[in-house]
């Protein structure tokens, strides 16, 4: 039994319906609160290892709800985007799977936070879009309101951005290796949680591609012809 199903079996009764709706609403509320407190509300809710160890345990949850932008314009798009992606993913994948994905990701981020004193939830949300694109790769978005682009290609851009963030952190190593690692671990955590839930699917698809390639190559060498319908059925 692989790791994904062991986790699901252990936590099989955990499911929060409309999880991302609550989180998106919390982002909006905290953003408004920051406007009236000059950002103090986010500081009071952010992940802070020393403060948590001093008893401010709410930060273990509230850091997941912080708005991902400080722009009054972009907060509208940000909140709607996370609501839409979360709702669509939950409808396609189920509340339990959605909850477990977010819970595992949160635990990994908390571990990195205690290990280094820093964590960043934004990469978990980036990885959530990878989930959406995996489940509905042909969903179309309108980039800049005019350019149609499928979710799978946006996911590629998303993954490349995360990898660039990871690679750029190496530039900090000559100054402070600890800081560089602290910036990299949340990226690794985001990829890890995605890999836990979908790594087998990608690996299986890759194996099948190689298997089909070798099979067709062998048929070609033996001069065996296959109709288009037979080939399509074989690839299903």
């Amino acid at each position: 039994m692989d790791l994904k199903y062991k986790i699901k079996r252990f936590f099989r009764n955990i499911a929060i319906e409309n999880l991302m709706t609550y989180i998106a609403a919390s982002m909006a509320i905290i953003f408004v609160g920051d406007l009236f407190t000059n950002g103090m509300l986010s500081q009071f809710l952010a992940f802070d290892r020393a403060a948590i160890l001093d008893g401010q345990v709410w930060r273990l949850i509230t850091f997941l709800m912080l708005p991902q932008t400080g722009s009054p314009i972009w907060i509208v798009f940000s909140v709607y985007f996370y609501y839409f992606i979360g709702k669509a993913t939950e409808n396609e994948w189920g509340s339990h799977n959605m909850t477990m994905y977010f819970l595992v990701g949160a635990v990994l981020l908390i571990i990195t936070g205690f290990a280094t004193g820093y964590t960043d939830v934004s990469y978990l949300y980036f990885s959530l879009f990878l989930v959406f694109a995996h489940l509905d790769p042909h969903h179309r978005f309108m980039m800049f309101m005019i350019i149609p682009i499928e979710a799978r290609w946006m996911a590629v851009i998303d993954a490349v951005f995360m990898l660039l963030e990871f690679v750029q952190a190496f530039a900090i190593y000559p100054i402070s290796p600890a800081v560089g690692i602290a910036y990299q671990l949340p990226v690794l955590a985001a990829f890890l949680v995605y890999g836990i839930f979908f790594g087998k699917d990608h690996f299986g698809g890759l194996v099948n591609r190689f298997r089909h390639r070798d099979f067709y190559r062998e048929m070609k060498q033996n001069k065996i012809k296959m109709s288009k319908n037979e080939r399509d059925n074989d690839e299903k």
Side-chain angles (χ1 to χ4, degrees):
M1 185 180 294
D2 62 46
L3 181 59
K4 177 178 70 173
Y5 290 106
K6 287 182 179 179
I7 293 173
K8 287 177 65 176
R9 184 176 179 182
F10 186 77
F11 294 100
R12 59 185 176 273
N13 294 322
I14 297 178
I16 302 175
E17 295 185 5
N18 301 313
L19 174 61
M20 284 305 298
T21 301
Y22 297 136
I23 291 177
S26 299
M27 288 180 179
I29 293 171
I30 294 172
F31 182 87
V32 174
D34 281 339
L35 294 179
F36 291 97
T37 62
N38 196 28
M40 293 294 293
L41 181 58
S42 283
Q43 294 181 28
F44 185 69
L45 302 176
F47 187 94
D48 185 317
R49 181 172 62 184
I52 293 170
L53 293 176
D54 282 340
Q56 298 180 19
V57 293
W58 63 82
R59 294 175 182 267
L60 292 171
I61 298 175
T62 55
F63 86 97
L64 299 166
M65 306 174 185
L66 297 181
Q68 300 301 297
T69 178
S71 168
I73 296 176
W74 283 107
I75 187 63
V76 176
F77 293 99
S78 176
V79 168
Y80 176 75
F81 182 76
Y82 289 129
Y83 161 77
F84 172 79
I85 295 299
K87 191 67 176 178
T89 302
E90 182 178 330
N91 289 339
E92 179 72 21
W93 203 24
S95 299
H96 171 73
N97 288 327
M98 180 70 178
T99 303
M100 288 307 307
Y101 186 92
F102 199 83
L103 177 61
V104 173
V107 170
L108 290 176
L109 289 177
I110 290 171
I111 292 173
T112 65
F114 276 110
T116 66
Y118 170 83
T119 193
D120 188 345
V121 72
S122 62
Y123 297 108
L124 177 59
Y125 293 127
F126 290 152
S127 76
L128 183 59
F129 183 76
L130 299 182
V131 176
F132 173 84
H134 180 79
L135 298 174
D136 190 4
H138 299 293
H139 183 93
R140 287 194 173 188
F141 293 91
M142 299 302 292
M143 183 176 287
F144 307 118
M145 306 298 181
I146 55 173
I147 304 174
I149 181 171
E150 291 186 345
R152 56 178 175 168
W153 301 121
M154 289 186 65
V156 171
I157 296 173
D158 189 20
V160 169
F161 170 78
M162 293 171 67
L163 288 173
L164 286 176
E165 291 283 296
F166 180 83
V167 171
Q168 287 174 355
F170 283 112
I172 306 175
Y173 273 50
I175 303 173
S176 175
V179 173
I181 293 173
Y183 285 150
Q184 290 175 325
L185 286 181
V187 182
L188 288 177
F191 278 122
L192 178 57
V193 65
Y194 180 81
I196 289 172
F197 284 83
F198 294 100
K200 185 177 179 180
D201 293 347
H202 288 290
F203 181 75
L206 185 62
V207 170
N208 284 335
R209 286 189 179 184
F210 282 114
R211 181 177 63 82
H212 285 132
R213 185 197 63 181
D214 294 340
F215 175 69
Y216 296 134
R217 181 181 297 169
E218 183 177 348
M219 292 189 65
K220 187 176 181 180
Q221 291 174 349
N222 294 326
K223 297 181 180 181
I224 300 174
K225 293 184 178 180
M226 177 182 283
S227 69
K228 185 178 184 301
N229 289 336
E230 290 175 328
R231 181 163 182 165
D232 290 341
N233 290 332
D234 180 66
E235 290 178 350
K236 289 182 180 179

